[in-house]
Amino acid sequence: MPYKPNQAMRDNAKRALEFRKTLPPSKRFGTPVGLARARDIANNVSLSKSTILRMRSFLARHRSNYDRYKGVAFESAGPGRWSYDLWGGVAAISWTNDKIRRYKKAGEL
């Protein structure tokens, strides 16, 4: 069963996409996959089980990019933090964990 992202995830992805537009091309952040994920999240597209699993993996691997800039204004952070928000940001961590628990409970994982 696919799930729609929550509002905080949508807000994070939208903010990162909008901020990226303000940067010169040489300073733009995000991989093609990260940008596609941000567009899906920002546009409230239902996310598949495989996408949710990939999101949790990315968020876990790159959590230090978020933590490094805790307390720093978003615009003053760095590309690692900005890219993290493309994937829904810290709001997506508990969301992905919840969805994966639901898949496991339903016997789908």
Side-chain angles (χ1 to χ4, degrees), residues 38-108:
R39 284 190 294 273
D40 287 348
I41 293 169
N43 292 326
N44 204 29
V45 171
S46 291
L47 304 171
S48 69
K49 177 175 32 176
S50 62
T51 297
I52 292 168
L53 289 168
R54 285 192 312 273
M55 286 176 65
R56 184 177 71 165
S57 178
F58 174 87
L59 292 164
R61 279 193 325 270
H62 297 282
R63 177 62 191 251
S64 63
N65 290 330
Y66 176 83
D67 291 340
R68 185 176 308 137
Y69 295 103
K70 230 179 233 179
V72 175
F74 180 79
E75 295 78 11
S76 300
R81 165 63 199 281
W82 301 328
S83 294
Y84 201 76
D85 275 11
L86 289 174
W87 288 76
V90 76
I93 296 169
S94 58
W95 183 88
T96 56
N97 287 335
D98 174 64
K99 302 315 174 235
I100 289 168
R101 272 193 298 277
R102 291 181 188 207
Y103 284 126
K104 286 180 180 178
K105 188 174 180 181
E108 296 181 34

Side-chain angles (χ1 to χ4, degrees), residues 7-59:
Q7 186 64 50
M9 293 166 58
R10 291 192 304 269
D11 291 344
N12 288 338
K14 286 177 187 176
R15 175 179 60 182
L17 286 169
E18 289 300 314
F19 181 67
R20 185 178 184 277
K21 289 178 188 176
T22 68
L23 299 174
S26 63
K27 302 269 187 196
R28 290 193 181 153
F29 56 92
T31 66
V33 173
L35 294 170
R37 190 66 48 241
R39 284 190 294 273
D40 287 348
I41 293 169
N43 292 326
N44 204 29
V45 171
S46 291
L47 304 171
S48 69
K49 177 175 32 176
S50 62
T51 297
I52 292 168
L53 289 168
R54 285 192 312 273
M55 286 176 65
R56 184 177 71 165
S57 178
F58 174 87
L59 292 164

